[in-house]
């Protein structure tokens, strides 16, 4: 997906937003994506990879920058198997 592009999210209720942690945060290109699209009213489930930093600080920063949006703190997925990821996604739908 081109981050600067506006994408058609009309029929999308849940957005899975994944990124590598850079300097304890989501890279700025993620902010560009958020600001290029209308994500209001959608559930935004975050996930990340990192060297060692947890996802916590990046989600705190996103919530603080975009208080009107519904970010759900997801998981750091380094080393997770497809099976683990599928189980995690299923658990989110319950
Ligand atoms: C500019 C830059 C900043 C980074 N900052 C962090 C950081 O603050 N904490 C961390 O755990 N990893 C950091 N990383 C590592 C990346 O999160 C990691 O390389 C990425 O998630 C991909 O994971 P992989 O290398 O295991 O594929 C940084 C990487 C780059 C390129």
């Amino acid at each position: 997906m081109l981050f600067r592009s506006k994408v058609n999210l009309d029929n999308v209720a849940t957005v899975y937003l994944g990124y590598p942690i850079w300097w304890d945060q989501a890279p700025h290109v993620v902010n560009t994506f958020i600001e290029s699209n209308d994500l209001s009213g959608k559930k935004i489930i975050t996930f990340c990879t990192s060297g060692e930093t947890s996802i916590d600080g990046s989600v705190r920063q996103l919530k603080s920058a975009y208080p009107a949006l519904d970010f759900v703190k997801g998981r750091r997925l380094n080393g997770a198997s497809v099976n683990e990821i599928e189980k995690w996604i299923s658990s989110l739908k319950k």
Side-chain angles (χ1 to χ4, degrees):
M1 178 186 301
L2 289 172
F3 280 91
R4 284 183 191 282
S5 300
K6 195 167 163 51
V7 289
N8 185 351
L9 297 171
D10 288 352
N11 297 314
V12 173
T14 303
V15 174
Y16 292 86
L17 182 68
Y19 47 82
I21 300 287
W22 281 7
W23 313 125
D24 294 339
Q25 297 188 358
H28 287 174
V29 69
V30 171
N31 299 65
T32 304
F33 169 74
I34 292 168
E35 290 167 21
S36 302
N37 289 280
D38 181 8
L39 300 178
S40 53
K42 303 183 190 304
K43 185 174 276 198
I44 307 166
I45 298 174
T46 57
F47 63 95
C48 77
T49 59
S50 76
E52 60 177 15
T53 306
S54 81
I55 197 169
D56 300 20
S58 66
V59 178
R60 255 198 317 275
Q61 190 274 336
L62 290 171
K63 286 182 175 179
S64 160
Y66 310 102
L69 297 182
D70 182 15
F71 292 100
V72 176
K73 188 172 80 177
R75 287 184 49 180
R76 177 174 175 267
L77 289 177
N78 288 69
S81 66
V82 171
N83 190 32
E84 280 172 315
I85 294 170
E86 284 174 349
K87 274 193 191 155
W88 172 56
I89 291 173
S90 296
S91 75
L92 291 168
K93 292 177 182 162
K94 285 176 189 149

